[in-house]
Amino acid sequence: MAPLDRRDFARWLAAGTCTSLGIGRSAFAQQTAPIEPVCIADFRELAKAKLPGSTFDYVETGSTEQVTLRENTAAFQRLRLLPPVLSGVASTDLSTTVLGEKIALPILLAPVAAQRLYHPQGALAAARAAAAIGTILGVSSSATNSAEEVAAASTGPKWFQLYVPKDRGIARQLVERVERSGYKALIVTVDLGEWKDADRRNKFSLPPEMMRKHLRDLGYADVTDAMTPAEMSAYSTRAVDLTFDWDLFAWLRTVTKLPLIIKGVLRAEDARRAVDLGLDGIIVSNHGGRRLDGMPSSIEMLPAVAAAVDGKAEIFLDSGIRRGTDVVKALALGARAVLIGRPYVWGLAADGEAGVRKVLEILRDELQNALISCGCRSVRDVPRTLVMR
Ligand SMILES: Cc1cc2nc3c(=O)[nH]c(=O)nc-3n(C[C@H](O)[C@H](O)[C@H](O)COP(=O)(O)O)c2cc1C
């Protein structure tokens, strides 16, 4: 993304790049954000200036008192790095592999819903940005583009995140489509039940046409043009399985050969169970503080999960990554790679594909700088001792 000076930014807004988001010049007049984003927080300001308030709130907020949301970033900030001096390291290899896939940096894009609300190109832009930087996009089954559309948007590797349809016939067809479209793994999100005051206050929902397409894309062919938003919302609530248990994974194994990743694990015994079931990856996550409020940060739970898993599955972490130093801490405590949610949504809102690319570049450069300061030659070799107990 080219640096934006204030006049460029004004022209860019006036040119109507973001009229579909309902933003006029007044947003620019009011915005006090830095013009050239240099860190993730700058992108948050740009997104705030561009998005309608209810959409910004949907992305930003956590459940009820938002204790977990705040804890996600606070827990990273409490951890201290203790680097050895004089290591003579001048560069770091950021590349690694995840589930056998080579990536250029250990930072993936987490599955995020409703992406066409943040930018008209939505997940297609995110897919292109991920491919350009050399990483993986986790595609939400609520992304608002179909699995096939996102698959075709770039040649880069992608994982598909599943909210499991109650109707197992529809679930099977969806997973088969995902596999046929070339996705490299299936993420099953297991932390469910969002309760966000701002969204309830704002009566946040997808525009009806986006909702209709989203449901049809998942395979719900009986969603009709005549259905009202309230009817579609009720349909959607009824259609998703919120009561599945561990047996789901055995069933999924009968449907697909794709590697299976469980997303939303915080307890060591759940991680052990995932390993016993032969799952390939575990995402230590509290869904960015959007699920049960009061849960601990994922970085706090990572060491216990890593000890329980003992190298028998790949461990990933999300929730609260905002800086390259956060990535170093996660790698040191046992993650193979991390995922980001809000940071790339802010980039997408600010400038589509270029914005997401820039977010990834900023985190990549911060990570590189931090690893050199820590004397690490590779992201595959970040010692536990870097993080003070
Ligand atoms: C706006 C928004 C929508 C999300 N939608 C999904 C989703 O559809 N499926 C899912 O598994 N996780 C979803 N998540 C959670 C992310 O995958 C990820 O766990 C979280 O954003 C990580 O925290 P961070 O935002 O602090 O990086 C969503 C997160 C946000 C911010």
Side-chain angles (χ1 to χ4, degrees):
M1 179 174 167
L4 299 170
D5 79 29
R6 194 167 268 273
R7 277 183 317 260
D8 285 347
F9 197 78
R11 270 198 297 277
W12 179 50
L13 280 176
T17 317
C18 50
T19 47
S20 62
L21 299 176
I23 292 150
R25 285 169 217 198
S26 59
F28 173 69
Q30 287 158 18
Q31 75 100 23
T32 54
I35 297 304
E36 186 180 351
V38 300
C39 62
I40 301 308
D42 288 350
F43 270 103
R44 178 182 173 278
E45 293 305 311
L46 288 172
K48 190 171 188 178
K50 290 195 75 176
L51 290 175
S54 60
T55 305
F56 181 79
D57 286 352
Y58 170 67
V59 174
E60 172 87 350
T61 57
S63 279
T64 59
E65 289 296 316
Q66 308 187 97
V67 170
T68 302
L69 176 73
R70 287 190 294 277
E71 184 61 9
N72 280 343
T73 43
F76 273 112
Q77 289 173 359
R78 278 198 302 272
L79 291 175
R80 297 281 161 268
L81 288 168
L82 194 62
V85 292
L86 299 177
S87 54
V89 172
S91 69
T92 302
D93 179 8
L94 296 182
S95 70
T96 187
T97 59
V98 288
L99 303 180
E101 190 78 41
K102 181 143 194 202
I103 51 174
L105 72 175
I107 304 171
L108 285 63
L109 303 185
V112 166
Q115 297 210 12
R116 281 197 293 131
L117 287 185
Y118 322 136
H119 187 273
Q121 288 288 305
L124 310 183
R128 291 183 195 118
I133 299 293
T135 190
I136 292 175
L137 170 67
V139 179
S140 165
S141 49
S142 306
T144 59
N145 282 106
S146 70
E148 289 85 353
E149 285 165 357
V150 188
S154 76
T155 53
K158 297 169 198 85
W159 295 347
F160 189 85
Q161 176 266 326
L162 191 67
Y163 285 127
V164 188
K166 251 185 219 154
D167 180 330
R168 290 296 192 262
I170 289 180
R172 173 185 290 273
Q173 280 172 15
L174 179 59
V175 172
E176 286 169 354
R177 281 169 48 203
V178 163
E179 192 163 353
R180 264 201 312 277
S181 304
Y183 286 80
K184 298 295 175 70
L186 200 63
I187 303 173
V188 181
T189 298
V190 297
D191 50 2
L192 305 166
E194 203 154 290
W195 201 263
K196 293 167 75 227
D197 293 348
D199 297 344
R200 288 149 55 80
R201 202 174 288 122
N202 296 333
K203 301 195 180 356
F204 176 83
S205 66
L206 288 181
E209 279 321 306
M210 211 180 272
M211 177 67 129
R212 205 178 319 275
K213 173 173 161 32
H214 155 65
L215 290 171
R216 286 176 176 160
D217 281 348
L218 290 175
Y220 299 111
D222 56 345
V223 171
T224 65
D225 289 346
M227 279 167 111
T228 64
E231 284 167 342
M232 283 191 284
S233 170
Y235 183 105
S236 173
T237 308
R238 275 197 314 274
V240 178
D241 191 348
L242 300 176
T243 59
F244 63 85
D245 59 21
W246 292 93
D247 292 343
L248 176 83
F249 292 101
W251 179 79
L252 278 172
R253 286 283 190 220
T254 69
V255 177
T256 180
K257 293 196 168 42
L258 289 176
L260 298 178
I261 303 168
I262 182 170
K263 175 172 183 282
V265 169
L266 292 171
R267 295 173 75 115
E269 51 269 45
D270 286 339
R272 218 171 284 123
R273 186 143 185 196
V275 168
D276 290 345
L277 287 173
L279 302 192
D280 304 277
I282 296 171
I283 304 180
V284 182
S285 168
N286 59 34
H287 215 107
R290 303 167 72 84
R291 297 307 203 208
L292 179 69
D293 194 28
M295 291 196 287
S297 68
S298 44
I299 191 67
E300 198 175 345
M301 301 317 295
L302 179 61
V305 169
V309 170
D310 196 22
K312 297 188 188 89
E314 293 191 6
I315 300 175
F316 311 102
L317 173 134
D318 75 23
S319 301
I321 298 277
R322 300 292 179 267
R323 288 284 183 182
T325 45
D326 298 335
V327 184
V328 175
K329 290 168 185 174
L331 297 178
L333 294 178
R336 190 169 185 94
V338 302
L339 298 88
I340 53 170
R342 291 177 184 85
Y344 88 88
V345 173
W346 295 329
L348 185 61
D351 196 16
E353 177 189 340
V356 178
R357 256 195 345 249
K358 180 74 181 168
V359 160
L360 283 166
E361 284 165 0
I362 287 173
L363 285 174
R364 179 192 64 197
D365 296 349
E366 287 185 358
L367 174 62
Q368 171 95 20
N369 178 62
L371 285 172
I372 290 171
S373 301
C374 290
C376 298
R377 287 196 162 76
S378 162
V379 292
R380 283 152 290 156
D381 187 20
V382 179
R384 171 73 181 82
T385 50
L386 268 183
V387 176
M388 265 172 74
R389 279 179 190 277

